[in-house]
Amino acid sequence: TIDETWLAAFSRGFFSLADEWGVELIGGDTTCGPLSITLTAMGEVGVGHALRRDGAVDGDDIWVSGNLGATALALMHMQGAVTLTPEVFKIAAERLHQPNPRIALGRALFGVASSAIDVSDGLVADLTHICERSGLSAQVDRTAVPLFAPLLSAGFEDQIACALTGGDDYELCFTAPESMRQELLRISANIMLPLTRIGNMQRGKPMVYVRDERGEEVKLASPGFDHFRNSA
């Protein structure tokens, strides 16, 4: 049975976001079976203008936009692992189901950031890709990571699971030279989006090290979602 009401609401949201960023929907495929919506985004960028994963250098700051953990917290509530108030779940679920692409920030980072990636599989998992491509380690201060406000009252393990390894936040994690700190604060004010410095890149094994307030390494059960291990 086709849910006409759901499809109408989905279409309004889809085309509203597409219109906002000048995206055209071209073509499509019709199949028989349960609802399946698959999109492929295509575009182009000028030579040398792409925000890549391989440009970080030793000493670069690590930054992240917005705050992390809302979407993972919403999913935990839906799976019965935690219980949220209706008000908190509404906010978290909106972040999960209606993420806001950080296009304005991405454009502003050209010439400022040395590398960048979106946080889709979890902060640690995605930052690891920058480490691997740039051949550096990432030192992350756990206490500096910006949390979705309700996580402040959650237990320590929930904070770790949601903010560091939870996926689907779609914030941007990027690196930039120390000399760009004031420029990044200016960008933050201009686009009205918080940007937080959470650590730095260093020479060493290409992986992410999360440190607590004592500087000791925080052991994580998993760095985040792995498409080859979690897709079954």
Side-chain angles (χ1 to χ4, degrees):
T1 302
I2 297 176
D3 188 338
E4 298 285 355
T5 301
W6 186 92
L7 284 175
F10 174 85
S11 297
R12 285 195 301 271
F14 178 92
F15 285 107
S16 174
L17 194 59
D19 290 342
E20 180 179 354
W21 298 109
V23 175
E24 298 288 344
L25 178 61
I26 303 173
D29 187 23
T30 302
T31 59
C32 180
L35 176 66
S36 176
I37 298 174
T38 302
L39 302 172
T40 300
M42 301 179 67
E44 59 184 22
V45 61
V47 176
H49 286 218
L51 291 174
R52 299 163 56 102
R53 302 177 181 183
D54 59 359
V57 300
D58 182 24
D60 274 357
D61 292 328
I62 303 169
W63 296 75
V64 70
S65 64
N67 56 63
L68 305 176
T71 56
L73 190 62
L75 185 59
M76 289 174 67
H77 173 90
M78 294 164 65
Q79 295 174 334
V82 299
T83 300
L84 306 177
T85 65
E87 295 77 13
V88 170
F89 176 65
K90 181 176 184 295
I91 296 171
E94 285 179 352
R95 294 270 294 273
L96 175 64
H97 297 136
Q98 298 174 291
N100 185 12
R102 301 306 189 190
I103 306 298
L105 174 59
R107 290 173 173 171
L109 289 179
F110 172 65
V112 177
S114 53
S115 68
I117 193 170
D118 72 317
V119 182
S120 56
D121 296 332
L123 174 64
V124 172
D126 290 315
L127 180 54
T128 297
H129 295 313
I130 290 180
C131 292
E132 292 170 343
R133 296 297 296 163
S134 298
L136 297 169
S137 71
Q139 304 290 329
V140 173
D141 178 359
R142 181 187 65 82
T143 63
V145 175
L147 300 178
F148 175 55
L151 279 175
L152 296 173
S153 59
F156 178 76
E157 292 302 324
D158 286 344
Q159 290 183 24
I160 291 295
C162 292
L164 294 179
T165 64
D168 296 329
D169 282 304
Y170 298 110
E171 297 292 349
L172 294 189
C173 177
F174 58 94
T175 62
E178 181 179 339
S179 60
M180 290 295 179
R181 290 180 182 178
Q182 289 304 312
E183 176 63 14
L184 285 164
L185 294 178
R186 185 192 67 79
I187 290 173
S188 174
N190 283 349
I191 64 176
M192 294 183 290
L193 176 65
L195 300 178
T196 305
R197 184 161 46 90
I198 62 171
N200 61 76
M201 304 296 293
Q202 296 181 9
R203 297 183 186 276
K205 185 177 179 180
M207 63 181 293
V208 178
Y209 298 88
V210 179
R211 306 290 181 184
D212 62 17
E213 56 273 9
R214 297 183 298 276
E216 297 178 359
E217 184 179 355
V218 176
K219 298 296 183 181
L220 303 173
S222 169
F225 185 82
D226 186 311
H227 291 268
F228 295 100
R229 289 185 301 179
N230 303 116
S231 57

